[in-house]
Amino acid sequence: MINPSEKKDIRRFQIEGLAQGTTYAITYYSEFESVKKPRIDSIFRQLDQSLSIYNPHSVISQFNESDAGVAIDEHFYNVIKKSLEIHQETSGAFDITVYPLVRAWGFANERVNIMPDSAEIQSLLPCVGSEKLRLSRERLDKKIPCVKIDVNGIAQGYSVDVMANFLEANGIANYLVEIGGEIRVKGKKYPDNTPMSIGIETPSENAFSATGIRQVIQVPAGAVTTSGSYRNFRKVGSGRISHIIDPKTGYSAQTEIISATVIADNAITADGYDNALLLIGLQRSMEFLEKHKDLHAYFIYQKPDGTVADTSTAGFTQFLK
């Protein structure tokens, strides 16, 4: 941690840009500019070469186009390994093989004008299921050719961790890394030596229009990520379809949770679990979190009468400002 009485020349450095289809911002406090934007952008390019479904030459795109599997790199291995772990812990609620369904509903890299019917959904379900994957250090293999994966529900968190670890490797102990709203933080702000504050979005009273800040939290060291049904959706008639697709049914998540915010030691963990919690609903989420004390969560949800309320795990309250 920075002690202002000992170090008078600590400065604030800010790096911002576009990456992974969103914005990023890195703030760190140091005596000198030890990390610069070109190096950060170079790391993003490495990550995209591995994990981006929008890059036709990436490892993940090669896997999706393959019949049996491909050789993989370290980034890819790390993300798939964690994805399979969370899949098992959540009894299949988090599943990266949901990509054929995500694409059918128009949430992949190409838009669709006609929503899938029940027959199309049923035809895609046999391609879904992480048990159809086989991971080793060198390869990811698939049991049937139609298995395709999408790691957008966890890769951004992993990217946050990669950047945070890069900062720490360069001697930076006070920082905030944010990519598309997913955050990892450590230490304090300088020169006032105060904790860094993070705002949690809230939808408006109808749960889907404008957003504001509902809560402010302060995390000394760790990650904060949010998954929200209001963030990415498609309008169909008078209804809305969330980008969170249930791998068991093939349809959009239909729970009372509007957003799930998770605090964990690292961002890949928080990012993977926030999607799963939103999908399984409030009661099951609270039961799950009772058994996973290393995760702290805050939920905004819609009550039966249409009003918006919030709740959290007991451990989450320690972070409220």
Side-chain angles (χ1 to χ4, degrees):
M1 302 291 180
I2 294 169
N3 186 334
S5 64
E6 296 176 0
K7 295 183 178 181
K8 300 293 186 182
D9 54 350
I10 298 295
R11 291 185 291 156
R12 177 182 184 272
F13 296 96
Q14 180 91 20
I15 303 171
E16 297 177 330
L18 300 172
Q20 300 181 335
T22 187
T23 60
Y24 74 85
I26 296 172
T27 302
Y28 69 92
Y29 300 85
S30 177
E31 294 177 79
F32 54 92
E33 191 178 14
S34 54
V35 172
K36 298 183 179 181
K37 190 174 189 297
R39 187 68 183 96
I40 294 296
D41 289 338
S42 173
I43 296 172
F44 273 122
R45 286 192 294 272
Q46 293 171 20
L47 290 164
D48 285 347
Q49 283 292 332
S50 180
L51 301 166
S52 174
I53 60 171
Y54 302 101
N55 179 345
H57 306 295
S58 66
V59 177
I60 192 170
S61 293
Q62 292 175 41
F63 175 83
N64 286 342
E65 292 304 313
S66 74
D67 288 335
V70 294
I72 61 176
D73 59 23
E74 183 180 7
H75 290 314
F76 197 87
Y77 173 81
N78 291 339
V79 170
I80 302 304
K81 182 175 183 290
K82 189 68 174 182
S83 297
L84 296 178
E85 174 190 310
I86 296 176
H87 172 79
Q88 186 170 4
E89 286 290 318
T90 60
S91 302
F94 182 81
D95 197 321
I96 56 174
T97 65
V98 78
Y99 184 57
L101 295 166
V102 170
R103 188 165 60 177
W105 286 108
F107 291 109
N109 49 356
E110 65 272 347
R111 302 297 282 181
V112 296
N113 296 319
I114 301 174
M115 294 295 98
D117 57 20
S118 59
E120 182 177 356
I121 295 301
Q122 290 302 312
S123 73
L124 293 174
L125 284 175
C127 303
V128 176
S130 288
E131 68 278 359
K132 300 176 177 70
L133 300 174
R134 186 169 65 253
L135 176 68
S136 69
R137 268 286 179 183
E138 293 78 27
R139 287 185 60 84
L140 180 67
D141 291 299
K142 59 175 83 171
K143 291 185 178 180
I144 51 177
C146 69
V147 173
K148 300 179 189 294
I149 62 173
D150 176 4
V151 295
N152 282 351
I154 195 169
Q156 217 158 69
Y158 176 72
S159 298
V160 169
D161 288 335
V162 169
M163 294 302 175
N165 293 339
F166 178 68
L167 294 179
E168 292 190 20
N170 281 271
I172 296 167
N174 298 268
Y175 61 79
L176 188 149
V177 175
E178 180 264 329
I179 305 173
E182 318 295 28
I183 292 170
R184 184 164 147 184
V185 64
K186 184 178 181 182
K188 296 183 178 182
K189 293 186 292 185
Y190 185 84
D192 48 357
N193 203 36
T194 57
M196 300 184 212
S197 297
I198 300 166
I200 299 176
E201 285 183 345
T202 179
S204 66
E205 283 303 306
N206 66 11
F208 286 108
S209 54
T211 61
I213 299 299
R214 193 176 185 95
Q215 296 283 5
V216 176
I217 59 175
Q218 293 177 333
V219 179
V224 184
T225 70
T226 297
S227 181
S229 59
Y230 65 95
R231 282 185 161 187
N232 187 6
F233 58 84
R234 296 204 66 188
K235 190 168 182 179
V236 180
S238 60
R240 296 170 188 264
I241 298 172
S242 164
H243 70 293
I244 306 294
I245 306 298
D246 188 332
K248 293 182 171 64
T249 67
Y251 289 88
S252 175
Q254 299 293 325
T255 70
E256 71 276 65
I257 298 176
I258 299 168
S259 76
T261 297
V262 175
I263 298 176
D265 289 341
N266 52 64
I268 190 173
T269 299
D271 201 15
Y273 280 109
D274 64 18
N275 286 283
L277 295 176
L278 190 145
L279 181 65
I280 66 176
L282 191 57
Q283 182 176 341
R284 287 178 61 196
S285 288
M286 296 302 280
E287 292 169 356
F288 177 86
L289 291 162
E290 272 294 314
K291 302 172 184 176
H292 293 76
K293 298 294 187 180
D294 55 328
L295 302 175
H296 309 288
Y298 170 82
F299 300 98
I300 303 173
Y301 66 99
Q302 196 162 26
K303 296 165 72 174
D305 63 4
T307 59
V308 174
D310 57 9
T311 189
S312 71
T313 58
F316 190 92
T317 58
Q318 67 185 294
F319 301 104
L320 291 172
K321 185 176 178 180

